[in-house]
Amino acid sequence: MADSDAAPGLARITVSPRALQENWLFFRAQAEGAVCAAVVKADAYGIGLGIAAPALVEAGCTDFFVAHRHEALAARALVPAEARVFLLNGVMPGEELALAQAGIVPVLNSVGQMERWQAAVPGAPCAVHVDTGMSRLGLTPEEALERAELIEALAPQLILSHLACASAPDHPKNAMQRAVFMETCARLPVVPLSLAASAGALMGPDYRFDMVRPGIGLYGGGPFDAVAVPLRPVVRLEAPVIQLRDVGPGDTIGYGSTREADRRRRLAVVALGYADGFLRAGSNRGFGVVRGTVMPVMGRVSMDLVILDATSARGLAEGDMVEFLGPAAPLDAQAQACDTIPYELLTGLSRRAARVVA
Ligand SMILES: *Cc1c(COP(=O)(O)O)cnc(C)c1O
C-alpha cells in the first residue's frame, strides 16, 4: 500500500495474519504432545480478534481463551462450533445459563462459581482455576481439595493454574508453583491440566502438562525478560512526518521543555501520540526508524504528536512514514525504551489509526 493511500496524515497499523500463524505454529511445535491453545483476550492483544481468530483457526488452533463475556461471544462467532472458547474471568451470578447456551466454557475461579454452575447448568462444560501462588483468580489448593467431590461432579474439561514469574524462567517461584499444582491435581479427579502461558510453554516439558496457553508470543512479544525468542513481528505501527524543522543550541523541545537542542538539529514532527498508544513513558526514550536510521524521541510525547531527532536521517521528507513497531523497530525494544512490557504497547494500540491487513 502506498503511503498516500487511505488517510494521509494518519498513523497506520499493519497486521500480518501470516506472521501470527507462524508464531502459533512455533508454539505448537514447542508444545510437542500438548494441545496448543491461543489467548485472544483484549481484542487479541490489540491486533483485532476479527483478524486473529480466523487466522488461528486456519493454522489449526481449536482452543481459545478470552477474559470477558463479550469477548467470548465475539470469539464464539468467529471459530467453528467444535472449537472451545474458555472464559478466564469466570461466571458472574446469573450468567450461568446464558454462557452455557452460548457454548462458552467458563473458567470457574471460586467455590461459589463452582456451586452456582453445578446448580444452574449441571453437566455443561467448564474449567477450574486453582491459584498456586498469584493470589489472583482461582481456588486455593485447600479449597480445591475440600471440594474434590464437587470438582468430580463438574467433570471440568481442564484444571488450570497460572505462573507469576515465568518471565524469569530461573525464578524459584516457577518450580514452587509447579509442585503445588502437581500435588493438588494428584489428589483431584484426573482431567487435562494446563499451567503454561507463552513463557511457561518455552520452559521445557516439565511445564507443558496437557495444554499450553500462549498469548503475547503469538503477537510477536518476547515472553522472557532477558532471553530473546525468535518470533515474527505481527504488528507494524507507522506514522507520517507532518513537519520538519531545524533547531539550534538552546531551543527547547516539547511540553515542559524537558529537552534542549545541544547544537543545530533537524527535528521530525510525527503524527503519533499517546492517544494512538505511543506511551508518554516513551518521552525522551522511545524511537522511530526510517530506512534503517533510528531517530530518538526528543522531549515529551504529546497526545497527537511526537518529535524525533532526524538529524542523521538524510533525505527524510514530510509525508514519509516512520516505523515505531515492526521489523525495524522491534516490539520488545520499543517496550523497553518506553519503560513497559510488549503487552501494554500492543493492547494500547490506537482505534484512531488506519488498520491494514498485510
Ligand atoms: C493472559 C493469560 C495467558 C496468556 O499469557 P501470555 O503471557 O500473554 O502468554 C494465559 N493464561 C492466563 C490465565 C492469562 O490470564
Side-chain angles (χ1 to χ4, degrees), residues 247-254 257-265:
V247 290
D251 287 339
T252 63
I253 301 163
S257 301
T258 60
R259 198 68 177 264
E260 193 175 303
D262 53 349
R263 60 179 175 87
R264 191 169 173 76
R265 287 192 182 272

Side-chain angles (χ1 to χ4, degrees), residues 72-300:
L73 292 168
R76 196 62 274 175
L78 289 164
V79 304
E82 61 276 16
R84 290 183 294 182
V85 176
F86 293 93
L87 176 50
L88 287 166
N89 279 10
V91 51
M92 299 299 110
E95 264 190 340
E96 294 84 6
L97 189 59
L99 287 185
Q101 282 176 344
I104 292 162
V105 187
V107 178
L108 305 176
N109 289 312
S110 67
V111 172
Q113 289 186 17
M114 293 200 305
E115 286 174 341
R116 281 190 274 109
W117 190 256
Q118 182 62 10
V121 285
C126 65
V128 170
H129 192 154
V130 177
D131 180 65
T132 53
M134 255 192 102
S135 308
R136 202 175 63 168
L137 293 176
L139 294 88
T140 64
E142 296 72 30
E143 287 173 327
L145 294 175
E146 277 165 21
R147 306 314 299 267
E149 269 178 41
L150 177 54
I151 294 176
E152 174 133 47
L154 287 164
Q157 309 229 323
L158 193 68
I159 295 179
L160 66 88
S161 192
H162 194 48
L163 296 170
C165 301
S167 68
D170 295 330
H171 198 292
K173 187 95 188 187
N174 296 319
M176 280 168 51
Q177 286 192 262
R178 175 176 174 271
V180 172
F181 189 54
M182 288 181 70
E183 283 159 23
T184 308
C185 294
R187 295 161 62 194
L188 292 174
V190 178
V191 304
L193 304 179
S194 176
L195 179 61
S198 300
L202 305 178
M203 279 159 51
D206 285 354
Y207 286 87
R208 265 177 226 145
F209 293 91
D210 301 299
M211 179 196 278
V212 296
R213 315 181 304 267
I216 191 67
L218 305 179
Y219 310 103
F224 295 125
D225 296 334
V227 189
V229 178
L231 297 164
R232 296 261 327 259
V234 174
V235 171
R236 186 168 184 173
L237 170 65
E238 300 160 287
V241 175
I242 58 173
Q243 189 167 44
L244 286 166
R245 62 191 310 132
D246 293 308
V247 290
D251 287 339
T252 63
I253 301 163
Y255 280 123
S257 301
T258 60
R259 198 68 177 264
E260 193 175 303
D262 53 349
R263 60 179 175 87
R264 191 169 173 76
R265 287 192 182 272
R266 169 147 283 210
L267 301 181
V269 182
V270 178
L272 183 77
Y274 56 77
D276 302 295
F278 194 69
L279 303 183
R280 193 163 172 279
S283 300
N284 286 309
R285 299 185 51 168
F287 61 92
V289 182
V290 76
R291 293 183 289 275
T293 301
V294 177
M295 301 186 289
V297 170
M298 300 289 274
R300 284 198 186 140

